[in-house]
Amino acid sequence: MANPAIVTVDDDPAVSRAVARDVRRRYGQDYRVVRASSGAEALDALKEIKLRGEQVAVLLADYRMPQMNGIQFLEAAMDLFPYARRVLLTAYADTEAAIDAINLVDVDHYLLKPWHPPEEKLYPVLDSLLEAWQATPASPEAETRVVGHRWSAESFEIRDFLARNMVPYRWYLLEEPEGQRLLAASGASESDVPVVITPDGKTLVRPSEAEVAAHVGLTTTPASEFYDLAVVGAGPGGLGAAVYGASEGLRTILVERRATGGQAGQSSRIENYLGFPDGVSGAQLTDRARRQAQRFGTELLTAQDVTCLDVKGSARVLTCAGGPRIVAHTVILATGVSYRTLDVPGLAELTGRGVFYGSAATEAPSCSGSDVYIVGGANSAGQAAVYFSRYAARVHLVVRGESLAQSMSAYLIEQIGNIPRIQVHTCTEVAAGHGTDHLEGLTLRDRNTGQARDVDASWLFVFIGAEPHTSWLDGLVERDSQGFVVTGPDLVVGGRRPKGWRLDRDPYHLETSVSGVFAAGDVRANSVKRVASAVGEGAMAVTLVHRYLEAQ
């Protein structure tokens, strides 16, 4: 962080230089002195300082300036830096103006010109003001800042993207004073939100995730022309493959369309993963795996959606929606799965505005004191229920089945039973959602009796089923009827190898119908949908990659 600023404003060049010189002589080591020759110039400087997330400690403004006098400037400056201490420079004849300043803009002090000697007339005043400012400073803002509406799907997507990629950020509601100040400093309007302000002060208006990634330190373009191994998807399977591939000397690139961790990264608590007896959050596990992969030399691309796979001789070519092409000897598909949408009236248009797919942990504090509804009966839904019970007044777990025992681990069922705030509604389904700009209510239906009832609800989190991201492989890689990638022995039917297979051997265990292309984790047909098994398959796939490369 840069030193806090002391801003001086005076249209008289000689006076302006004298003020800045005297201030810099005493405070230049700890504060940055910014000098302006007009109120408009000073406001532009303040906006830049605001966008960079820096602080202003003291404002010194001359009263008699054309176009914008000192009182008008200080009044405008308060909108940007309300905590900065304000000083008006006046002549002997301007005592009445100084009194107006105290009444209008809560000026902390007024100084008569000339102030010489500064040791007697200037420094004691500034010492006192700086001491008071340091006691109640504006909060430092070194991180990315996001300004938006509470019930905005676009704002939620940006916040969720930053949170899941471990990018520090601060969220400002448009309705709050600081949100308005940032919006004014950026020059954007309320219709432009979400507005993202990067740590270096750049303003992004309604940006795409790729734009955000490129401005907050995430890599979005490949650094090399060729790799030994390209891993598509940075969930547990992809991260496991990247760690083992890079650690064993393969030039490895890991491509993720949104954020590392996949569904596991959204889990509030994983308690049955080997080596973590007290449990670990999906975000923590993901962060450790990502750092481990990068320490071994894995190149990580974020916000790049792979849309095409081509075979060019011995090369496997991946094309991303944003344009980059990645060429590698081998590919591991670890794209995982996503939660299926809840296809009932009224919910589609409220997605991101009270209706969320996955845990959306960023929303948990906003649920404080409210009722939260969670749909699903598997572990991910149970983990979310336990997590949200820390914030919500009551958590309603809506389950289609007759009991949780059909699909949820015993340890989670026991935890849920011991939390009074969690209420389980079995044999129940969501029949409709209601609301205008955000979710306001749900219709719940008893599956046995068909009886429906309406409940007030602003928060709905859905954890149902799984759909693989494999449509981009259509026509090249063999998949089953649900879209999961078929691998290994399952490709050999009646002693016949898959169509187009040119090698004089059967596909390896995790190899797809395209030689040199492997699948690991949830995306693979008949895989065990667990974090540990996905990591194991990622590691196993790298062993098969070595075998494939050695045979070339």
Side-chain angles (χ1 to χ4, degrees):
M1 288 288 292
N3 287 340
I6 297 176
V7 178
T8 70
V9 194
D10 200 302
D11 65 313
D12 185 322
V15 175
S16 179
R17 287 193 297 270
V19 175
R21 179 198 63 221
D22 287 346
V23 173
R24 191 174 288 112
R25 181 186 304 160
R26 175 70 171 256
Y27 307 102
Q29 185 173 350
D30 299 316
Y31 295 88
R32 184 164 58 92
V33 179
V34 177
R35 181 164 66 95
S37 59
S38 69
E41 181 184 333
L43 283 177
D44 287 342
L46 290 178
K47 289 177 182 178
E48 290 184 15
I49 293 171
K50 185 73 175 178
L51 293 177
R52 289 196 299 267
E54 299 169 3
Q55 300 182 58
V56 173
V58 175
L59 299 161
L60 297 99
D62 181 44
Y63 171 63
R64 292 182 178 272
M65 294 188 295
Q67 284 84 49
M68 180 184 292
N69 66 34
I71 295 177
Q72 293 169 329
F73 163 72
L74 290 175
E75 191 171 17
M78 285 177 64
D79 292 335
L80 295 171
F81 291 97
Y83 297 103
R85 301 297 166 171
R86 296 170 289 278
V87 179
L88 189 70
L89 302 178
T90 67
Y92 285 110
D94 294 328
T95 304
E96 186 176 343
I99 295 173
D100 288 342
I102 292 173
N103 292 331
L104 290 175
V105 295
D106 194 23
V107 165
D108 295 286
H109 203 91
Y110 69 91
L111 284 172
L112 295 175
K113 299 187 294 185
W115 55 81
H116 297 292
E119 288 78 11
E120 295 181 11
K121 297 184 178 181
L122 177 64
Y123 297 155
V125 172
L126 291 184
D127 284 345
S128 175
L129 293 178
L130 288 171
E131 183 179 347
W133 176 80
Q134 289 169 350
T136 56
S139 57
E141 303 176 75
E143 63 273 285
T144 298
R145 286 157 290 166
V146 182
V147 182
H149 292 291
R150 178 181 182 182
W151 300 114
S152 163
E154 291 177 310
S155 297
F156 163 72
E157 292 293 338
I158 292 296
R159 292 162 52 213
D160 190 56
F161 174 78
L162 291 170
R164 292 182 59 193
N165 280 288
M166 305 296 175
V167 177
Y169 77 93
R170 192 178 294 270
W171 164 240
Y172 295 94
L173 288 172
L174 185 60
E175 298 80 8
E176 296 175 343
E178 187 64 12
Q180 288 290 326
R181 295 184 193 108
L182 285 170
L183 206 63
S186 70
S189 65
E190 293 190 7
S191 61
D192 292 328
V193 296
V195 170
V196 176
I197 301 169
T198 64
D200 61 359
K202 184 174 180 61
T203 299
L204 307 176
V205 175
R206 303 184 73 175
S208 66
E209 291 179 354
E211 289 177 294
V212 174
H215 285 90
V216 297
L218 301 175
T219 304
T220 57
T221 56
S224 301
E225 295 183 356
F226 201 89
Y227 298 87
D228 296 316
L229 171 62
V231 183
V232 185
L239 287 166
V243 167
Y244 281 92
S247 67
E248 294 174 9
L250 297 178
R251 290 170 297 173
T252 303
I253 185 169
L254 177 61
V255 189
E256 170 55 47
R257 70 187 183 113
R258 192 151 198 276
T260 53
Q263 280 193 0
Q266 295 179 277
S267 176
S268 56
R269 200 75 179 167
I270 301 172
E271 298 194 61
N272 58 354
Y273 187 70
L274 185 67
F276 292 89
D278 298 320
V280 61
S281 74
Q284 289 173 324
L285 186 62
T286 294
D287 182 52
R288 293 180 183 186
R290 176 186 54 79
R291 288 188 286 110
Q292 188 176 19
Q294 291 181 306
R295 181 171 67 84
F296 283 123
T298 296
E299 185 180 332
L300 173 61
L301 295 193
T302 306
Q304 289 294 355
D305 189 8
V306 178
T307 57
C308 182
L309 169 65
D310 288 323
V311 177
K312 302 292 185 183
S314 63
R316 305 294 179 261
V317 182
L318 299 169
T319 303
C320 300
R325 295 172 73 249
I326 300 163
V327 184
H329 282 302
T330 59
V331 170
I332 294 178
L333 304 174
T335 51
V337 294
S338 62
Y339 294 110
R340 288 204 302 266
T341 57
L342 194 57
D343 187 17
V344 300
L347 289 189
E349 55 269 30
L350 297 175
T351 300
R353 296 185 289 150
V355 178
F356 305 94
Y357 291 89
S359 66
T362 52
E363 297 299 302
S366 300
C367 299
S368 180
S370 302
D371 277 23
V372 169
Y373 285 79
I374 295 174
V375 178
N379 280 7
S380 52
Q383 291 160 351
V386 172
Y387 178 69
F388 278 97
S389 69
R390 305 175 192 172
Y391 302 90
R394 182 174 291 276
V395 175
H396 301 269
L397 189 57
V398 181
V399 184
R400 289 171 56 89
E402 296 181 355
S403 74
L404 293 176
Q406 298 172 349
S407 53
M408 189 177 294
S409 296
Y411 79 92
L412 264 177
I413 297 174
E414 183 179 354
Q415 281 188 27
I416 289 171
N418 291 328
I419 300 176
R421 288 186 178 184
I422 300 178
Q423 182 176 349
V424 180
H425 304 270
T426 56
C427 299
T428 304
E429 61 187 4
V430 175
H434 314 286
T436 51
D437 63 332
H438 66 92
L439 180 68
E440 297 173 6
L442 295 170
T443 298
L444 302 181
R445 183 166 54 217
D446 189 305
R447 301 188 71 232
N448 291 330
T449 65
Q451 185 176 359
R453 59 189 176 94
D454 291 334
V455 295
D456 293 331
S458 296
W459 306 96
L460 175 68
F461 299 88
V462 181
F463 301 81
I464 55 170
E467 295 179 333
H469 300 294
T470 59
S471 58
W472 58 281
L473 298 170
D474 193 25
L476 182 65
V477 175
E478 187 170 328
R479 299 172 297 151
D480 67 12
S481 59
Q482 294 179 300
F484 292 93
V485 176
V486 181
T487 60
D490 293 337
L491 289 167
V492 181
V493 180
R496 290 184 296 179
R497 294 165 181 160
K499 183 179 179 181
W501 188 264
R502 294 183 174 85
L503 299 182
D504 189 23
R505 62 167 177 81
D506 290 346
Y508 295 138
H509 183 65
L510 299 180
E511 198 167 17
T512 71
S513 58
V514 177
S515 61
V517 177
F518 301 81
D522 290 0
V523 73
R524 193 176 67 82
N526 301 317
S527 64
V528 178
K529 304 300 189 279
R530 289 289 185 269
V531 175
S533 62
V535 173
E537 287 192 5
M540 181 180 177
V542 171
T543 300
L544 300 175
V545 163
H546 281 294
R547 188 182 301 177
Y548 172 84
L549 292 174
E550 290 167 359
Q552 296 304 299

